[in-house]
Amino acid sequence: HHYFSAVVGGDSTPAVKPDPLPILHCCELLDLSPEQCLMVGDSVNDFLAGSCAGTATVMVDWGYSQGTDVLSLGADRVISDFSELG
């Protein structure tokens, strides 16, 4: 709990990614607008959920991309290491 102010999982809302509802629910829990948030993900569903919710999107170039070239998604940024977020 000391790392995260809110945790939203697949069973937290009636819809799952790529639906934006989980992202919007997390924004509500944090009392932030989507424009104040950043979605960091590794899959098309992460990108779509963040984009549809209205957050900025950053994709990592490793993980669960299922063969999708994350550079082709149109994210605000693609990173290779979390240190690049700072």
Side-chain angles (χ1 to χ4, degrees), residues 35-66:
E35 295 79 17
Q36 294 174 288
C37 297
L38 172 68
M39 173 60 170
V40 179
D42 63 355
S43 71
V44 172
N45 284 349
D46 294 335
F47 172 75
L48 292 172
S51 295
C52 291
T55 68
T57 56
V58 171
M59 301 303 297
V60 299
D61 63 5
W62 74 93
Y64 188 69
S65 66
Q66 294 183 308

Side-chain angles (χ1 to χ4, degrees), residues 64-83:
Y64 188 69
S65 66
Q66 294 183 308
T68 301
D69 177 10
V70 294
L71 291 169
S72 70
L73 295 175
D76 295 297
R77 239 174 121 189
V78 176
I79 61 171
S80 296
D81 189 88
F82 284 122
S83 65

